[in-house]
Amino acid sequence: MTVLRHSSRRDKLDVSLLNARLSNAVSYDRIAGYFRSSLLEVAGEAIEDVVGKVRVVCNSDLEPADVATAKAAQQAMRQSWCAAEPEKLAAGAAGRPRFRRLFDLLASGRLEVRVLPDSVFGLVHGKAGVIRYGEGRATSFLGSVNESLAAWRLNYELMWEDDSAEAVDWVQAEFDALWGHPMAVPLADFIVQDVKRLADRQETAIADWRRDAQASAASAAVESPVYRQEFGLWAHQKYFVKLVFDAHRRGTARFVLADQVGLGKTVQLALAALLMALTDDKPVLILVPKPLMLQWQDELRDLLGIPSATWLGDAWRDEQGIEHPVTGPEGVRRCPRRFGIISQGLVVAGNEILTHLLGMRFECVICDESHRARRKKIDPNNLTPKPEYNNLAAFLAQISPRTRSMLLATATPVQLHPIEAWDLLAILSAGNEAVLGNDWSEWRKPESCLPVITGEDALSGDVFEVWPWVRNPLPPRGEGPNFRLLRQRLNLDDGTHVAAGDLMGNMNSPTRTLLGQVAHDFGRNHNPFIRHIVRRTRQYLENTIDPATGEPYLKPVRVRLFGEGEDEAVPLPPYLQDAYDAAQEFCRLLSQRVKGAGFLKTLLLRRMGSSIYAGRRTTEKMLATWGTGELFAERNSGASDEAVGAEGDDGNESEPRNAVVESEMKNLTSQERAELARCLKALEVSQDRDPKFQQVLDYLVGENWLAQGCIIFSQYFDSAWWLAELLSREHFPDEPIGIYAGGANSGILLGGQFKACPRDDIKARVKHGAIRLLIGTDAASEGLNLQRLGTLINLDLPWNPTRLEQRKGRIQRIGQVRDEVYVCNLRYRGSVEDRVHQLLSSRLEYIFDLFGQIPDVLESLWIDVAQGEVEDAKRLIDGIQQTHPFDERYAKVESLDWESCAKVLSATEMQKVLSAGW
């Protein structure tokens, strides 16, 4: 038995101890420290001298919930690894060989690593190891030294070595206890893959990347926050980004992204725009509804690290909240960032800045919620190719020739008639021939091309008759081998969008045969609608197998709905029912007196349908302030949660407000004011608590939803605050309750006491399990990843049904480790929401499955019902197509390997380029 004492003051431990002991060892079991630093060094090169297997158990910042399933452990470890920013170590030439050695050890199986959450035994400060040799010899050591090159070579460390059987057995038992613990999980596959990528990592200058014909879109994405802080991109997202990038490099990218709600359109558009911005130096313009401006700016920054600025009217506000004042409408030309975000409401209102924007040239223009750009009147009997557009559509058509590329985004490209999809393509076609061809194209004639698109008509099989349809525009080479060959034989590159008509006369027999093959399925599979509208549904992605992995492109996450039965609507006690009836009568009287402005006429019913508290506050406000203009100013301020969270705020932005109608509405009749007073009196007399509160409590406690993590949504901050404060004060005084809302209203309630904090802090606490209950307005329904939570309660039902899909998408998303999530929809019995629910359920099958695809114009259904116009509501429902006419053929996705991309763009250089102004 020999006990040796080692000090780095006396000897270099890596030479005197490690190198000598590991030489010819047959195994090495090591209790190391933190897994990220341990992996990055693995004791330098000496570990490679071990003949047999090396096993290392490390501790980590993983939570017990993170390792509850293998998938959760993989995801949590990935995020922990990326948080250490190992790419910074790989940026230097000296760092890459370390990653190469590490990958070789891991890939060969000679090094095996398990990771243990800190909470199991606490932070592993004790470092120890057992080294075994042939013929049964072994030694063990204990000490402060951790498993890094710096510890063995540079730090002051002490270590005791003992080769007695008793000491070896003791250390081995400690190692085995950690290694065999149920929460010790294998190193994530992603980390092994990332180590290989980092071993080969090369930074390339943007100028060189621009010149590279084989430049990969992944170069700008693989080290962005969406990959290093989140879980990367889905296959369908990568497909669209590459499609746009390739088209832009050929000359122009013009697409409608029509994915179902909840499939991450924003990040696809933003990353595509980033790549386009990096290919040249012109500005990027993003047009979005006003309530989405900050959400867009946040996602650009948080997911892709893109700096941007939003237009305030007299200044630009950058991603850090710093305002850059300008003078006059011409100041819109002086955006301090490459990415400028402007409200669609200014376009609708015909603001002075439009003239200045139309005087500029852009690299890319993006319009979100582009279904709002439409013709003013749809006449199925007169599908004119030159309709009268609303202001948004007219502006987009005007600016289309001023931009190299244009992307339009909407979950509902067809709301009532296929002509709406044609209009979007016509906007993309303005000033270029890539989408619908030139002015003489058959695709520019909606009355003849739409029947072909919908399958009512088929193109002729005769090559002479089909040639005008195929040649104008002629699909690019990337559309398929036949088109590549056809362009080759006609000597046309992709920059030529229209083939001359007389080329038919010069075609030889093999070329005409090829044209016949192209024409066979051209109308169904290669027409301009197919090529320029990209639409994927959740169902398609969950049911389509990725041939590269043998698994669905999107992991199915089932949704179990609660509160859907007719008998599950929440009954109101008598006094509260009287108050609701009075509010309903008030809205009816208002509707009879004033035409138009359906949003404002039904505002009280919307808020009463959310919560009795919100309804009472609105009633008091109407009685006290109607006629001062305050109510209307609040709706359009964009700063309050009523503006951000109220469904109708962004739903009404497609047309200008009518000030005359608003003014007329403010002058209440005595009968209208009496109904408001009756409503308020019933609310004041009632001693009953809002029954929705008990419903929420039953789910949180009775159904144990709190333990699974729960997000509760409301359209209105009033309702969210009422619920959160009451739950915190009376039922969960020791439970931190997060409030996630617009403006400065976000914070945490504990014991009924509110403390404001940034929304990013709340997101981080939810992510790490420190907050199990989050109550938010619809400000939280965009761009917020809540896959840690497993249940959702809709305190109210927005009158725009796509909001429900957006809310559900917060927990039914990538990273959700549960196979099933729970969603409850609350509505008062006999309310507008209840009656609309009954109408929809009786006329549309699987209504909540369709809510991600039902057009936004269905919002007027709620208004019709609120105003007693039930027959109009029925006619509107009957006009909705339950299946999108293009669904079967517009789904495009393929597997792309971006994760192994080792050639990356410098983040510093990208920031410099993107921070340059217009």
Side-chain angles (χ1 to χ4, degrees):
M1 178 183 77
T2 304
V3 175
L4 299 175
R5 302 169 184 85
H6 303 275
S7 165
S8 60
R9 182 179 62 83
R10 300 170 183 267
D11 299 292
K12 292 182 177 180
L13 295 185
D14 60 318
V15 175
S16 65
L17 176 61
L18 190 65
N19 290 359
R21 300 300 186 271
L22 292 181
S23 180
N24 297 318
V26 297
S27 70
Y28 177 27
D29 287 343
R30 179 76 162 105
I31 300 173
Y34 203 64
F35 90 95
R36 298 188 308 219
S37 56
S38 298
L39 283 179
L40 290 178
E41 297 292 356
V42 199
E45 298 181 10
I47 202 169
E48 296 175 341
D49 294 334
V50 179
V51 177
K53 174 161 287 193
V54 177
R55 298 188 300 175
V56 179
V57 62
C58 315
N59 68 287
S60 69
D61 56 357
L62 304 185
E63 302 286 344
D66 292 333
V67 297
T69 67
K71 184 175 182 64
Q74 292 268 325
Q75 292 174 346
M77 213 179 308
R78 168 182 177 151
Q79 291 192 314
S80 181
W81 165 260
C82 291
E85 299 181 309
E87 59 271 18
K88 290 185 177 179
L89 180 60
R96 288 193 292 275
R98 301 180 190 176
F99 286 102
R100 171 56 59 191
R101 291 195 301 270
L102 177 57
F103 174 74
D104 290 342
L105 287 166
L106 291 168
S108 67
R110 291 175 57 201
L111 173 62
E112 188 175 352
V113 179
R114 291 187 184 177
V115 179
L116 195 63
D118 286 345
S119 57
V120 176
F121 294 107
L123 183 66
V124 179
H125 277 295
K127 313 301 191 300
V130 174
I131 302 173
R132 298 184 183 275
Y133 306 92
E135 302 176 355
R137 288 192 308 113
T139 188
S140 63
F141 58 87
L142 299 164
S144 60
V145 65
N146 60 41
E147 196 70 5
S148 72
L149 191 61
W152 290 100
R153 184 176 296 173
L154 304 177
N155 296 345
Y156 175 69
E157 305 283 359
L158 297 173
M159 177 166 288
W160 287 48
E161 181 184 5
D162 191 339
D163 63 0
S164 68
E166 182 182 9
V168 169
D169 290 346
W170 188 87
V171 174
Q172 188 68 55
E174 290 299 311
F175 174 86
D176 292 344
L178 300 178
W179 183 263
H181 194 279
M183 287 191 181
V185 292
L187 194 65
D189 294 337
F190 168 84
I191 295 178
V192 180
Q193 296 166 0
D194 200 49
V195 167
K196 182 179 186 300
R197 185 187 70 82
L198 293 171
D200 299 327
R201 185 182 185 277
Q202 295 179 5
E203 282 193 7
T204 183
I206 291 177
D208 295 335
W209 179 78
R210 288 176 176 177
R211 290 190 293 266
D212 184 359
Q214 304 301 317
S216 171
S219 296
V222 73
E223 291 186 359
S224 66
V226 74
Y227 267 92
R228 308 307 285 181
Q229 297 173 18
E230 301 296 334
F231 300 104
L233 296 178
W234 298 341
H236 73 279
Q237 295 173 318
K238 290 187 286 186
Y239 171 84
F240 177 77
V241 172
K242 184 177 185 299
L243 181 73
V244 172
F245 179 58
D246 291 346
H248 186 77
R249 297 196 78 186
R250 289 197 303 267
T252 181
R254 291 175 179 265
F255 296 96
V256 176
L257 179 58
D259 284 348
Q260 185 180 356
V261 171
L263 295 181
K265 287 193 294 293
T266 303
V267 72
Q268 296 179 71
L269 297 167
L271 180 52
L274 168 64
L275 291 162
M276 290 187 279
L278 293 174
T279 61
D280 210 330
D281 300 319
K282 291 191 290 295
V284 174
L285 172 64
I286 302 174
L287 297 169
V288 302
K290 185 175 183 178
L292 300 184
M293 291 175 68
L294 291 180
Q295 294 172 10
W296 257 88
Q297 188 172 44
D298 288 348
E299 290 204 38
L300 288 174
R301 180 198 63 207
D302 296 343
L303 295 181
L304 296 169
I306 299 175
S308 64
T310 57
W311 175 249
L312 303 179
D314 57 358
W316 286 95
R317 179 187 290 141
D318 66 26
E319 73 287 347
Q320 299 178 45
I322 299 172
E323 293 190 8
H324 303 253
V326 297
T327 302
E330 63 273 15
V332 76
R333 289 173 170 263
R334 295 194 292 276
C335 179
R337 300 288 186 264
R338 286 286 301 283
F339 281 65
I341 305 170
I342 294 179
S343 167
Q344 289 176 1
L346 298 178
V347 178
V348 171
N351 191 277
E352 295 174 279
I353 66 168
L354 304 187
T355 301
H356 297 282
L357 291 174
L358 290 172
M360 298 177 62
R361 292 279 181 180
F362 296 93
E363 193 68 28
C364 175
V365 171
I366 293 175
C367 180
D368 200 1
E369 304 292 331
S370 60
H371 53 270
R372 300 173 179 199
R374 59 172 78 101
R375 56 179 64 197
K376 290 185 176 180
K377 182 180 179 181
I378 296 177
D379 182 356
N381 299 315
N382 181 24
L383 300 177
T384 172
K386 295 183 178 180
E388 183 181 3
Y389 282 139
N390 65 11
N391 287 354
L392 181 58
F395 176 76
L396 290 174
Q398 286 179 289
I399 206 168
S400 180
R402 312 291 299 174
T403 180
R404 178 174 171 182
S405 292
M406 177 178 273
L407 303 177
L408 306 178
T410 172
T412 51
V414 174
Q415 302 211 50
L416 297 175
H417 193 282
I419 190 65
E420 293 165 303
W422 185 90
D423 284 339
L424 294 178
L425 294 187
I427 288 170
L428 294 177
S429 296
N432 77 87
E433 301 175 344
V435 182
L436 293 180
N438 62 27
D439 291 343
W440 294 274
S441 169
E442 297 296 327
W443 301 105
R444 296 255 186 189
K445 305 171 185 176
E447 71 281 355
S448 58
C449 76
L450 287 179
V452 174
I453 297 301
T454 57
E456 298 173 30
D457 291 345
L459 295 180
S460 170
D462 183 276
V463 292
F464 288 93
E465 292 184 17
V466 81
W467 174 236
W469 295 84
V470 173
R471 73 172 185 85
N472 192 3
L474 184 65
R477 295 169 185 245
E479 185 67 13
N482 282 345
F483 293 98
R484 179 180 296 278
L485 185 56
L486 182 60
R487 279 188 170 271
Q488 181 179 329
R489 290 182 177 177
L490 297 176
N491 195 30
L492 297 175
D493 60 25
D494 282 341
T496 303
H497 303 299
V498 178
D502 58 9
L503 286 176
M504 170 62 75
N506 299 324
M507 284 187 192
N508 56 29
S509 179
T511 303
R512 290 188 180 182
T513 300
L514 176 63
L515 178 58
Q517 294 171 353
V518 165
H520 174 69
D521 65 345
F522 186 85
R524 180 172 182 81
N525 294 321
H526 301 288
N527 66 69
F529 284 69
I530 295 292
R531 298 202 309 273
H532 293 277
I533 298 178
V534 179
R535 174 175 175 80
R536 285 76 56 97
T537 65
R538 178 176 290 276
Q539 182 181 19
Y540 171 82
L541 295 172
E542 289 181 344
N543 295 329
T544 303
I545 299 300
D546 179 356
T549 64
E551 298 180 352
Y553 281 112
L554 192 62
K555 173 185 177 289
V557 178
R558 297 186 303 275
V559 177
R560 184 178 175 188
L561 289 171
F562 294 77
E564 286 305 290
E566 289 188 19
D567 59 340
E568 293 183 90
V570 182
L572 285 169
Y575 277 113
L576 296 183
Q577 184 65 58
D578 289 346
Y580 190 92
D581 292 344
Q584 195 159 250
E585 178 62 14
F586 167 77
C587 291
R588 189 190 67 80
L589 292 170
L590 207 58
S591 299
Q592 286 183 340
R593 181 170 62 85
V594 182
K595 302 301 179 185
F599 169 84
L600 289 172
K601 288 189 296 188
T602 56
L603 177 63
L604 179 57
L605 278 181
R606 290 174 186 248
R607 289 175 61 82
M608 190 76 80
S610 173
S611 70
I612 298 302
Y613 177 79
R616 176 171 177 167
R617 287 203 63 192
T618 303
T619 304
E620 292 171 339
K621 195 167 195 176
M622 282 182 164
L623 285 169
T625 66
W626 199 284
T628 66
E630 181 179 336
L631 189 66
F632 304 121
E634 178 182 62
R635 178 198 159 205
N636 286 276
S637 67
S640 70
D641 266 274
E642 288 194 11
V644 174
E647 204 330 282
D649 291 318
D650 56 334
N652 260 13
E653 203 178 33
S654 60
E655 295 296 342
R657 288 169 49 199
N658 190 324
V660 175
V661 171
E662 291 184 3
S663 178
E664 180 185 354
M665 194 180 309
K666 289 185 288 186
N667 298 316
L668 294 178
T669 67
S670 58
Q671 190 176 3
E672 290 164 354
R673 186 168 289 276
E675 289 300 332
L676 277 180
R678 180 165 74 92
C679 175
L680 182 58
K681 183 177 181 180
L683 292 173
E684 291 174 340
V685 170
S686 175
Q687 299 299 310
D688 296 301
R689 175 169 284 178
D690 190 328
K692 281 189 179 180
F693 180 82
Q694 187 58 47
Q695 290 278 320
V696 169
L697 201 59
D698 288 345
Y699 281 105
L700 291 177
V701 179
E703 299 294 333
N704 204 33
W705 283 20
L706 179 60
Q708 300 179 58
C710 184
I711 169 72
I712 302 176
F713 275 117
S714 172
Q715 297 176 80
Y716 304 107
F717 181 74
D718 287 350
S719 297
W721 173 260
W722 158 75
L723 180 64
E725 196 274 336
L726 205 54
L727 287 172
S728 179
R729 179 164 43 84
E730 295 189 3
H731 293 276
F732 305 116
D734 300 322
E735 182 82 25
I737 298 177
I739 297 182
Y740 196 92
N745 291 325
S746 296
I748 296 174
L749 272 167
L750 186 63
Q753 299 298 310
F754 177 77
K755 182 179 180 181
C757 69
R759 292 197 292 184
D760 286 346
D761 289 356
I762 297 175
K763 288 191 286 187
R765 296 193 191 197
V766 172
K767 180 178 177 179
H768 294 293
I771 291 179
R772 300 187 298 171
L773 179 57
L774 188 64
I775 300 177
T777 65
D778 283 316
S781 72
E782 289 284 343
L784 181 61
N785 301 330
L786 297 175
Q787 61 269 15
R788 185 67 179 254
L789 309 178
T791 66
L792 184 154
I793 298 174
N794 287 308
L795 189 65
D796 47 39
L797 301 184
W799 288 19
N800 182 330
T802 58
R803 281 291 189 193
L804 285 175
E805 187 71 17
Q806 290 170 337
R807 292 176 176 184
K808 178 165 65 72
R810 298 313 101 210
I811 61 173
Q812 189 189 21
R813 63 187 303 110
I814 190 169
Q816 176 59 260
V817 297
R818 300 169 182 83
D819 294 325
E820 184 177 57
V821 294
Y822 298 160
V823 176
C824 172
N825 297 310
L826 298 179
R827 66 190 190 280
Y828 296 122
R829 184 172 299 164
S831 64
V832 174
E833 293 80 6
D834 190 34
R835 282 174 283 157
V836 169
H837 181 274
Q838 292 174 15
L839 275 176
L840 291 173
S841 298
S842 64
R843 290 177 122 72
L844 294 179
E845 189 177 7
Y846 309 123
I847 182 61
F848 282 98
D849 288 339
L850 284 169
F851 266 6
Q853 305 170 65
I854 287 178
D856 286 354
V857 295
L858 201 65
E859 181 180 358
S860 61
L861 169 66
W862 270 257
I863 296 175
D864 287 342
V865 172
Q867 298 177 164
E869 299 165 356
V870 177
E871 292 306 315
D872 289 345
K874 290 180 179 178
R875 282 193 293 272
L876 181 60
I877 296 173
D878 292 340
I880 302 298
Q881 296 172 308
Q882 291 201 34
T883 302
H884 190 288
F886 311 139
D887 271 353
E888 291 182 4
R889 289 134 49 198
Y890 283 62
K892 301 175 183 178
V893 63
E894 64 184 48
S895 184
L896 298 170
D897 177 20
W898 285 10
E899 287 69 20
S900 63
C901 179
K903 184 178 286 188
V904 299
L905 298 179
S906 163
T908 302
E909 188 183 7
M910 282 198 293
Q911 284 295 306
K912 182 179 179 180
V913 169
L914 297 173
S915 295
W918 287 4

